């Protein structure tokens, strides 16, 4: 399945999508029903099983001592295929840094590049087990699997959601939902083999990982999750690390409280130390479409003392797929990972 992936790395998801379309959508008469579209739900290509979607995100940031910068940094295309059979397909191809400008830079497309964010097949074994093969988001916490800018409340990403682990895994995952104590227990167990599946991945030090994530729906408003992973961190001196995480989410009407705490063990080298990072975020409605967002973050750092950061922001959602965000972040001992600054963004889910 992955033969020739290095050669076809950028267009490969599109090639698969075209193949699925041709297999599932032979020539049709003029009487076929036309596909419909609704913002945020994607575009179905007839009854082929193919659906196109995606999102766009544009942001302006002025953080720390860096000059202000404008970016159209996410133009993502979702291609999925589902014919209500045992096999499903999903891919996300992203045009990153499509348009940039700044205090010391004219409007430019020179940094534009493609990234294959996700690319996987799901095989449905039964109603409790699905086998996933390919590249997918690492199931640690909540923020990382939400992923898309229109689905999160702030432009600034919490430090704890990507600083101590890789945001992606390439390999095999078993996942599903089990009944537990009159509620549902979501589970995911995965193993990483990044190099043969994603040979162009050069900025990911996370290798040969295995891990699991559990999420329990306590009631209609409250859920908890726990994560574990063990991985090889390829630095100047490679070593294996273990990571454990806890996440919680409470939602009532339009109010929300969300938290994640991540702990990573130290390696075998004398200079290594165990690190923990976490955040607590609250959202409160001000009106039908306006929301107040506040977040506190604490993060241990390999090079300094514990940092702290607070984010206060406003979000405007005229409809669920569209969000405007404005926020200010400030803190102490936070210059490296979460510098003080102002950010504004616009995101839309197609």
């Amino acid at each position: 399945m992955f033969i020739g992936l290095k050669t076809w790395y950028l267009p490969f998801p599109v090639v698969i999508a075209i193949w699925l379309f041709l297999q599932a959508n032979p020539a049709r008469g003029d009487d076929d029903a036309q596909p419909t579209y609704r913002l945020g739900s994607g575009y179905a290509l007839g009854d082929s099983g193919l659906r196109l979607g995606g999102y766009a995100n544009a942001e302006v940031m002025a953080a720390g001592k860096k000059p202000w910068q404008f970016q159209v940094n996410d133009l993502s295309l979702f291609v999925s295929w589902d014919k209500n059979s045992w096999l499903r397909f999903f891919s996300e191809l992203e045009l990153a840094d499509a348009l940039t400008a700044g205090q010391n830079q004219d409007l430019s497309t020179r940094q534009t590049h493609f990234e294959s964010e996700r690319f996987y097949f799901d095989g449905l074994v039964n109603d409790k087990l699905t086998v996933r093969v390919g590249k997918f988001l690492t199931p640690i916490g909540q923020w990382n699997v939400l992923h898309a800018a229109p689905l999160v409340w702030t432009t600034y990403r919490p430090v704890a959601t990507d600083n101590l682990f890789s945001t992606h895994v390439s390999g095999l995952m078993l996942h599903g939902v089990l009944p537990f104590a009159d509620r549902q227990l979501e589970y995911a167990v995965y193993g990483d083999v990044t190099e043969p599946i994603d040979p162009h991945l050069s900025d990911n030090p996370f290798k040969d990982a295995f891990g699991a994530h559990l999420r329990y729906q306590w009631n209609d408003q409250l859920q908890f999750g726990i994560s574990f992973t063990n991985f090889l961190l390829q630095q100047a001196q490679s070593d294996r690390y273990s990571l454990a995480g806890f996440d919680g989410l409470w939602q009532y009407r339009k109010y929300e409280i969300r938290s994640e705490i991540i702990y990573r063990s130290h390696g075998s080298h004398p200079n290594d130390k165990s690190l923990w990072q976490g955040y607590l975020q609250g959202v409160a409605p001000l009106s039908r479409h306006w929301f107040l967002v506040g977040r506190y973050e604490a993060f241990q750092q390999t090079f300094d003392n514990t940092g702290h950061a607070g984010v206060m922001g406003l979000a405007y959602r005229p409809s669920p797929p569209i969000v405007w965000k404005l926020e200010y972040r400030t803190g102490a001992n936070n210059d490296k990972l979460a510098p003080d600054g102002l950010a504004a963004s616009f995101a839309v889910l197609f």
Side-chain angles (χ1 to χ4, degrees), residues 144-325:
N144 195 53
V145 291
L146 285 176
H147 178 70
L151 303 180
V152 296
W153 286 105
T154 61
T155 305
Y156 289 125
R157 180 168 178 156
V159 172
T161 63
D162 68 350
N163 181 245
L164 297 181
F165 62 92
S166 169
T167 56
H168 295 83
V169 172
S170 298
L172 174 71
M173 180 166 73
L174 308 179
H175 65 102
V177 179
L178 300 172
F180 183 80
D182 298 326
R183 289 286 174 176
Q184 291 186 333
L185 178 68
E186 299 178 25
Y187 72 91
V189 180
Y190 58 91
D192 171 77
V193 286
T194 293
E195 286 188 352
I197 293 181
D198 201 0
H200 286 246
L201 192 60
S202 60
D203 59 349
N204 183 4
F206 180 87
K207 182 182 178 183
D208 297 338
F210 60 89
H213 182 263
L214 299 175
R215 185 183 307 282
Y216 180 63
Q217 191 80 29
W218 185 270
N219 54 40
D220 292 339
Q221 291 80 41
L222 185 63
Q223 56 181 264
F224 297 106
I226 56 174
S227 308
F228 170 80
T229 187
N230 181 274
F231 57 93
L232 177 67
L233 186 61
Q234 300 180 93
Q235 297 176 323
Q237 295 176 309
S238 297
D239 204 354
R240 294 202 70 88
Y241 294 80
S242 293
L243 181 146
F246 170 83
D247 60 88
L249 173 63
W250 174 82
Q251 293 175 308
Y252 177 70
R253 296 183 179 176
K254 293 185 177 182
Y255 292 89
E256 177 182 300
I257 297 176
R258 183 187 303 270
S259 181
E260 296 185 46
I261 299 173
I262 300 293
Y263 173 83
R264 193 178 77 185
S265 68
H266 62 80
S268 60
H269 302 296
N271 294 331
D272 281 343
K273 64 178 182 179
S274 298
L275 299 172
W276 68 268
Q277 299 176 351
Y279 74 89
L280 177 65
Q281 177 177 285
V283 178
L286 299 177
S287 65
R288 182 180 178 185
H289 300 299
W290 286 92
F291 298 84
L292 180 66
V293 183
R295 183 171 70 234
Y296 168 74
E297 299 184 54
F299 38 88
Q300 286 185 316
Q301 307 168 85
T302 57
F303 46 78
D304 212 334
N305 298 324
T306 300
H308 302 269
V311 177
M312 185 62 67
L314 287 172
Y316 172 62
R317 286 190 181 271
S319 67
I322 299 174
V323 59
W324 298 81
K325 308 169 193 175

Side-chain angles (χ1 to χ4, degrees), residues 31-211:
D31 296 334
D32 289 335
Q34 296 297 316
T36 59
Y37 173 75
R38 184 176 63 183
L39 189 65
S41 61
Y43 184 79
L45 299 181
D47 61 355
S48 66
L50 276 173
R51 182 176 293 272
L52 305 180
Y55 70 94
N57 182 49
E59 60 189 31
V60 179
M61 288 186 176
K65 298 179 181 179
K66 297 180 180 179
W68 69 266
Q69 186 175 30
F70 165 78
Q71 290 182 312
V72 179
N73 62 341
D74 290 320
L75 288 175
S76 289
L77 171 66
F78 298 159
V79 180
S80 62
W81 179 76
D82 183 0
K83 285 286 286 183
N84 295 317
S85 67
W86 67 274
L87 183 65
R88 297 174 184 174
F89 166 77
F90 180 87
S91 75
E92 178 184 356
L93 185 64
E94 180 178 294
L95 184 64
D97 298 329
L99 194 63
T100 60
Q103 185 173 331
N104 302 319
Q105 176 191 330
D106 295 331
L107 203 61
S108 172
T109 59
R110 285 176 297 179
Q111 300 180 45
T112 302
H113 61 282
F114 284 95
E115 296 178 357
S116 181
E117 287 287 310
R118 287 181 281 178
F119 173 77
Y120 59 79
F121 288 90
D122 273 342
L124 281 65
V125 178
N126 54 46
D127 58 357
K128 298 181 178 64
L129 173 62
T130 298
V131 179
R132 177 169 296 176
V133 179
K135 181 181 180 180
F136 43 88
L137 299 172
T138 310
I140 294 177
Q142 303 166 10
W143 197 288
N144 195 53
V145 291
L146 285 176
H147 178 70
L151 303 180
V152 296
W153 286 105
T154 61
T155 305
Y156 289 125
R157 180 168 178 156
V159 172
T161 63
D162 68 350
N163 181 245
L164 297 181
F165 62 92
S166 169
T167 56
H168 295 83
V169 172
S170 298
L172 174 71
M173 180 166 73
L174 308 179
H175 65 102
V177 179
L178 300 172
F180 183 80
D182 298 326
R183 289 286 174 176
Q184 291 186 333
L185 178 68
E186 299 178 25
Y187 72 91
V189 180
Y190 58 91
D192 171 77
V193 286
T194 293
E195 286 188 352
I197 293 181
D198 201 0
H200 286 246
L201 192 60
S202 60
D203 59 349
N204 183 4
F206 180 87
K207 182 182 178 183
D208 297 338
F210 60 89

